Amino acid sequence: MFPLEMKTQGRLLPARRRLRRLLAYAGLMFPYTAAMDGNPVSRRVYDRLKSTGEAPKPEYAMVELTLRCNLKCRMCYQSLRRGGGQKDLSTEEITGMIDGILGFGLRRRDFRLWGGECFMRDDIFDIISHLQERDCTLHIITNGTLITPRVAERLGEFRNIRSVMVSLDGLAATHDRIRGAPGAFEKTYEGIRLLSGGRFTLSVMTVLQKENLAEIEAIVRLCAEADVDHEFFIPEFRCTRAELDETSRMLGLPDETWTFLSEGGDDVSRDQFIGALDEVRRSGRREGMFTYYAPPVLRRFPGEFHSGAIRERVLGLTCSNLQKLMVDSRGDVVLCPFMPKTFGNLVSGSLDDIWNSEDMRSARRKLACGNMSPLCKRCMILDSVRG
């Protein structure tokens, strides 16, 4: 018997999703990675970064709308940044910043919105509408707990939303422990169900941790039952105090720059880690789901990535952040959310003065010439130069 169910919640799947499941089952389109590494750093750009640190116009923009969140995820790198009572930027400040970015120019008129939790902002639909009026495509990252029938309906009314990605880290008990909120799983999974069947791509992201390694197949099955388009797995980010110190010396950063320290993850052995990646593939085939994992280098160097030896053993490491624009919740331009050195503010300043400033070019050049930093070696978007 062919093991694929072509109906979900009592209705026949759309033709494009039936075809996607058939291809996924046959293993003809795995891994599906366009959503995360569709903009690898080319050899030409890499050589330019090493020489001068100068980058072309940003590929697209990632905007952190808020630090506020209704969960307390144990692996969250933003947790220590939330203690200062920072207020969100106003609607006018956000939309003005968007217009300034578009005035400077993006290679693609494409924005990624994340938080915190985006849907804690009362004006989220005003921001989406503004982007639609400016003819910009949009991708949203959310924990899914605030997706109500009305929110899902409103999202479906926008023609510019290309994808929504929801975080799901295990079955009910595991997810709730990791996310630090009883009942989070029920709300998240209901949000996923409400979002499925929309005009946009629906993805689920899972952070691989020792607690959920045995639940990979069950997570993929849940996603298949909810008609999710893609299930995306990333390793838990971790670093040591020594790696932070070495990165500070490399980039000339003061110690107070660091707002997090994640030394977890060492309890997952190399065999467990590689076995989990294999299970991601197998589960996708069994359930007829597109399952994939990041960073891109994991597909070629899983052992080196797990051990932290990848910088010593693989040359030409890069990061897509070197050619995209990242803006934090204060409107500050950063190269990396884990490395919150700021290069200027888009509420009070201009991207023309920031993007290829001496400070930003110097940081890019140091990272490119240093085969990235010690902090980068276990990051979900670590890549190697193409071409």
Side-chain angles (χ1 to χ4, degrees):
M1 292 290 291
F2 192 70
L4 288 183
E5 176 59 62
M6 289 302 168
K7 290 184 178 181
T8 184
Q9 301 179 35
R11 68 182 189 276
L12 186 68
L13 293 180
R16 65 185 178 89
R17 294 192 177 181
R18 280 180 276 158
L19 175 61
R20 186 180 295 132
R21 287 198 173 186
L22 288 170
L23 293 174
Y25 175 74
L28 297 178
M29 295 182 69
F30 176 83
Y32 183 89
T33 57
M36 293 307 300
D37 64 333
N39 59 327
V41 177
S42 68
R43 172 64 64 177
R44 178 182 60 82
V45 171
Y46 177 73
D47 289 343
R48 186 177 174 185
L49 291 172
K50 289 185 72 174
S51 174
T52 67
E54 186 174 345
K57 290 288 180 75
E59 181 81 11
Y60 58 87
M62 291 194 70
V63 180
E64 183 182 61
L65 290 182
T66 181
L67 278 180
R68 290 183 295 137
C69 187
N70 58 333
L71 300 182
K72 297 180 180 178
C73 306
R74 70 180 188 192
M75 66 287 191
C76 182
Y77 66 91
Q78 296 172 323
S79 57
L80 292 179
R81 292 172 58 201
R82 295 195 179 109
Q86 177 188 319
K87 293 184 178 180
D88 291 344
L89 296 178
S90 68
T91 309
E92 292 72 23
E93 287 171 323
I94 293 285
T95 55
M97 190 167 63
I98 289 169
D99 291 344
I101 292 170
L102 294 173
F104 177 76
L106 298 173
R107 281 182 276 168
R108 288 187 281 144
R109 294 174 72 89
D110 188 64
F111 283 75
R112 317 288 168 97
L113 304 182
W114 93 107
E117 172 50 49
C118 293
F119 290 96
M120 292 196 75
R121 288 193 65 119
D122 295 334
D123 61 354
I124 181 64
F125 295 116
D126 295 326
I127 295 169
I128 296 173
S129 180
H130 185 83
L131 286 164
Q132 181 168 273
E133 290 169 3
R134 298 299 187 269
D135 197 26
C136 296
T137 53
L138 176 61
H139 306 261
I140 303 171
I141 301 172
T142 174
N143 63 37
T145 60
L146 301 179
I147 303 297
T148 63
R150 179 54 181 155
V151 169
E153 181 183 0
R154 287 291 309 276
L155 290 173
E157 294 170 359
F158 291 97
R159 64 181 183 276
N160 64 327
I161 299 176
R162 293 292 178 265
S163 72
V164 177
M165 179 177 283
V166 183
S167 298
L168 182 69
D169 286 323
L171 300 179
T174 302
H175 180 84
D176 288 358
R177 278 197 304 272
I178 291 173
R179 294 280 159 175
F185 173 87
E186 183 178 351
K187 294 176 182 177
T188 293
Y189 195 61
E190 177 61 18
I192 290 171
R193 286 186 173 277
L194 289 170
L195 291 168
S196 68
R199 67 170 71 189
F200 45 76
T201 297
L202 175 61
S203 300
V204 164
M205 179 173 66
T206 300
V207 180
L208 290 171
Q209 305 166 58
K210 188 170 185 178
E211 273 194 82
N212 63 19
L213 295 187
E215 298 180 0
I216 291 173
E217 182 178 6
I219 295 169
V220 173
R221 185 177 301 116
L222 283 173
C223 291
E225 290 172 354
D227 194 20
V228 171
D229 293 298
H230 313 131
E231 166 65 83
F232 166 57
F233 292 83
I234 61 172
E236 182 179 6
F237 181 80
R238 56 191 173 93
C239 62
T240 65
R241 181 74 253 179
E243 289 164 352
L244 291 183
D245 291 342
E246 187 180 347
T247 301
S248 291
R249 289 191 294 271
M250 174 183 175
L251 299 177
L253 305 176
D255 289 341
E256 59 267 23
T257 297
W258 305 111
T259 57
F260 74 99
L261 176 62
S262 176
E263 297 192 273
D266 290 323
D267 52 352
V268 176
S269 70
R270 181 183 186 277
D271 289 346
Q272 288 175 316
F273 183 70
I274 294 178
L277 301 182
D278 291 340
E279 183 57 38
V280 168
R281 289 193 292 262
R282 287 193 298 268
S283 296
R285 292 285 302 277
R286 283 193 293 265
E287 299 297 331
M289 274 283 301
F290 280 133
T291 54
Y292 56 106
Y293 49 77
V297 293
L298 265 184
R299 298 191 289 277
R300 289 169 287 164
F301 310 107
E304 291 85 350
F305 182 89
H306 176 267
S307 69
I310 195 164
R311 290 179 67 239
E312 290 74 32
R313 299 182 186 176
V314 180
L315 297 178
L317 293 176
T318 64
C319 168
S320 61
N321 285 358
L322 296 176
Q323 58 177 358
K324 70 188 179 194
L325 173 64
M326 297 201 73
V327 186
D328 72 11
S329 58
R330 296 165 297 193
D332 289 332
V333 175
V334 298
L335 268 179
C336 171
F338 293 110
M339 191 187 301
K341 172 180 169 58
T342 62
F343 296 89
N345 186 275
L346 294 185
V347 177
S348 59
S350 167
L351 192 53
D352 296 81
D353 300 324
I354 298 170
W355 182 246
N356 275 316
S357 64
E358 175 56 36
D359 199 18
M360 204 157 186
R361 285 188 289 114
S362 175
R364 292 195 198 103
R365 187 168 57 245
K366 288 175 181 177
L367 287 169
C369 291
N371 208 28
M372 303 307 291
S373 78
L375 180 69
C376 306
K377 62 187 179 183
R378 297 188 188 93
C379 180
M380 61 171 281
I381 56 175
L382 186 67
D383 201 355
S384 55
V385 67
R386 308 294 175 88

